[in-house]
Amino acid sequence: MWPHLVILLSVGIALRTTYRIARKMLLLGSVEGHFVYAYGHALEGRVWFPFLIVFAPACGLAWLTTRKIATRERACVLAWWVAAFPSQLVLRVLAFEPLEASIRSDSSNSFYTPTLSSTALDFLGNFQRQAEALPMHAAANMPGKVLLYYLLETMTSAPQVMGYANILLSNLGGVFLYFIVRDLFGDRRTALYSLILYLFIPGRTYFFPLANTVTPTVVLACLFLHVRFLVTGRSIYALGLGVGLYVMLLFDPIPLATGPIFVAAFLNSRLPTCNTPAAAIRTASRATLLGAAAFVAVYATVLVSTGFDIAGCFWTVLANAQDFNAQNKRDYTLWAMRNPVDFCITAGVAVVPLALAAVLEAARSPVQLRALATFGIATVLAFVALDAAGVNRGEVMRLWIFQAAFFAVLAAWTCARVRGSLTFYLVLGVNILQAAVGLDVVRFL
């Protein structure tokens, strides 16, 4: 009975919050903290048409794939990856800024501009020396996001197409998430619900096609390699994780806070390489050695070939972030309290209470729900650690989208407990509605 009540309560809170956003009654950010997302025009009736165009087919596909996931797993996952793209484009019709303008804009996305004036090797090799001359976002971030646009330029020179590519890359994170959840929990329904909720995380929709929406894919690719190593014991996955961690640090170091979630995977006794304490220790040692070797190999190769020192760059960017917070008077205590509120908006207001309910339920049954308990506690610890670190003070609706993926998993588990019910469709619907309303009235970009 409790899952029904929690889901209905969460949906009610989400609808109330969405109404307040629609009426411009909810402040997104903090005036005292010197960062606020501005409202645009009033809510228009046009919001309902995109919402229905997206929601009705999503319900139909969810109904179909829930019944076919046991026998046509890969087809179901592929169907969602394909179907999500046009759905997101439909929702984004409501946004204030077109895709091409978002890519070109130095105010919302300055990672594209540097690619127009130098080669990738020159940019990377001279990054720290020329950082002050770069547009704001490019100068304040690791160079990986700019390198993403260099990569996209090998396929297209059209910013509009680059925007499409970023959306598809971001959606790929949902595919990784499906297989992570399937292996960790052994539950395809929860894995499928996780994929669906990930695809409709409101924060991803708000900030398409920015590179921040690709960050979850980088994080989840690393976690996927980690879990696959734990499942199979194959060295190639551990080596891939070492390379992936270098890419993550190069792209965005903030997700390093998800470390507890990687540790939680080792504590999952379902996985064949970790079914006893001794086996877990051997597996952890082997993974650490192989991953570290791959990381160091990539580090040395890039350093020798381009002169780019990722460690030195990391500390420089961290110092710049601290200076930015000080210069803009973004108070630590104020934002430590405000960040979780803004995060609820990006993750989906209905999702967060469902996720917390899953953690509490798992904690009450640590034996039967050990995998969920360790994952849930690790997710909360990672979130608290990142908030307490104070690196991000404001703008977490854009910067913490990757965190929302893990909360979506916990919410999916709660929804999966209610089999044969329409409650999951309610959660999905309010997520899509919150995304549509937010795009229509808030200037996120």
Side-chain angles (χ1 to χ4, degrees):
M1 184 66 181
W2 74 265
H4 293 84
L5 296 176
V6 172
I7 290 173
L8 292 176
L9 179 62
S10 300
V11 168
I13 295 172
L15 288 174
R16 173 61 177 168
T17 303
T18 302
Y19 172 79
R20 294 187 66 200
I21 293 174
R23 301 283 293 179
K24 304 183 182 180
M25 298 165 59
L26 183 64
L27 181 67
L28 302 179
S30 168
V31 175
E32 298 85 354
H34 302 96
F35 183 82
V36 174
Y37 286 105
Y39 280 101
H41 52 62
L43 183 73
E44 298 180 353
R46 66 174 189 154
V47 74
W48 296 108
F49 188 58
F51 166 72
L52 291 173
I53 287 179
V54 172
F55 178 55
C59 286
L61 187 58
W63 179 86
L64 177 63
T65 52
T66 299
R67 283 151 181 77
K68 297 293 184 180
I69 193 66
T71 57
R72 303 293 299 275
E73 181 180 42
R74 293 186 179 182
C76 291
V77 172
L78 178 62
W80 273 107
W81 185 74
V82 171
F85 178 66
S87 298
Q88 290 151 349
L89 293 182
V90 168
L91 288 176
R92 212 186 173 285
V93 168
L94 299 168
F96 285 85
E97 190 173 66
L99 276 177
E100 180 175 357
S102 298
I103 295 294
R104 291 184 180 276
S105 171
D106 279 345
S107 61
S108 60
N109 174 58
S110 61
F111 304 115
Y112 170 68
T113 303
T115 67
L116 303 177
S117 57
S118 66
T119 66
L121 288 178
D122 288 340
F123 172 80
L124 189 61
N126 298 311
F127 176 75
Q128 287 180 266
R129 290 188 292 274
Q130 68 179 9
E132 292 184 1
L134 294 172
M136 180 184 66
H137 286 101
N141 283 265
M142 297 290 282
K145 293 185 178 71
V146 176
L147 294 177
L148 169 65
Y149 287 98
Y150 278 112
L151 177 63
L152 294 178
E153 282 187 336
T154 63
M155 297 176 282
T156 179
S157 59
Q160 180 87 5
V161 179
M162 291 180 182
Y164 295 150
N166 277 349
I167 294 174
L168 290 169
L169 285 172
S170 180
N171 289 345
L172 187 60
V175 176
F176 290 128
L177 187 64
Y178 172 86
F179 291 106
I180 290 166
V181 175
R182 183 202 64 180
D183 287 342
L184 286 179
F185 300 156
D187 183 349
R188 294 187 182 186
R189 180 185 289 259
T190 297
L192 178 63
Y193 285 0
S194 299
L195 164 62
I196 298 170
L197 291 181
Y198 171 88
L199 292 172
F200 293 102
I201 289 172
R204 288 196 328 123
T205 309
Y206 295 154
F207 294 101
F208 280 142
L210 300 191
N212 300 97
T213 63
V214 180
T215 301
T217 299
V218 179
V219 179
L220 293 169
C222 289
L223 186 56
F224 169 79
L225 291 168
H226 179 59
V227 172
R228 290 308 300 167
F229 173 75
L230 298 178
V231 171
T232 66
R234 295 179 62 186
S235 299
I236 188 66
Y237 291 117
L239 293 170
L241 176 60
V243 176
L245 289 176
Y246 184 94
V247 173
M248 183 197 297
L249 183 58
L250 184 68
F251 195 82
D252 191 344
I254 298 172
L256 293 174
T258 59
I261 300 173
F262 284 73
V263 174
F266 275 121
L267 303 178
N268 188 344
S269 59
R270 283 193 65 261
L271 302 181
T273 59
C274 301
N275 53 11
T276 66
I281 292 173
R282 288 195 301 271
T283 300
S285 300
R286 185 161 163 251
T288 301
L289 289 173
L290 291 170
F295 183 92
V296 170
V298 177
Y299 185 116
T301 300
V302 174
L303 180 61
V304 171
S305 61
T306 69
F308 175 74
D309 181 3
I310 196 170
C313 184
F314 170 77
W315 291 114
T316 299
V317 168
L318 182 61
N320 290 342
Q322 294 171 338
D323 290 342
F324 176 85
N325 289 329
Q327 292 172 10
N328 289 273
K329 299 179 180 179
R330 295 196 181 179
D331 177 72
Y332 172 85
T333 304
L334 184 153
W335 281 110
M337 299 298 293
R338 178 68 201 187
N339 283 344
V341 178
D342 286 353
F343 174 76
C344 289
I345 304 297
T346 203
V349 177
V351 164
V352 175
L354 293 177
L356 296 178
V359 176
L360 292 174
E361 176 66 12
R364 290 173 51 194
S365 309
V367 177
Q368 300 93 322
L369 302 177
R370 179 176 175 180
L372 179 71
T374 54
F375 181 91
I377 293 170
T379 297
V380 173
L381 286 176
F383 179 85
V384 171
L386 183 55
D387 191 34
V391 177
N392 301 126
R393 304 178 191 179
E395 303 183 65
V396 300
M397 292 178 67
R398 173 174 58 87
L399 299 175
W400 291 5
I401 296 172
F402 67 91
Q403 288 268 22
F406 302 110
F407 280 77
V409 172
L410 297 168
W413 181 85
T414 301
C415 293
R417 293 287 301 273
V418 187
R419 296 181 181 274
S421 170
L422 296 177
T423 48
F424 173 73
Y425 301 97
L426 290 177
V427 175
L428 176 61
V430 296
N431 259 21
I432 296 173
L433 180 62
Q434 183 196 319
V437 170
L439 283 170
D440 197 38
V441 302
V442 183
R443 293 184 178 274
F444 288 107
L445 300 179

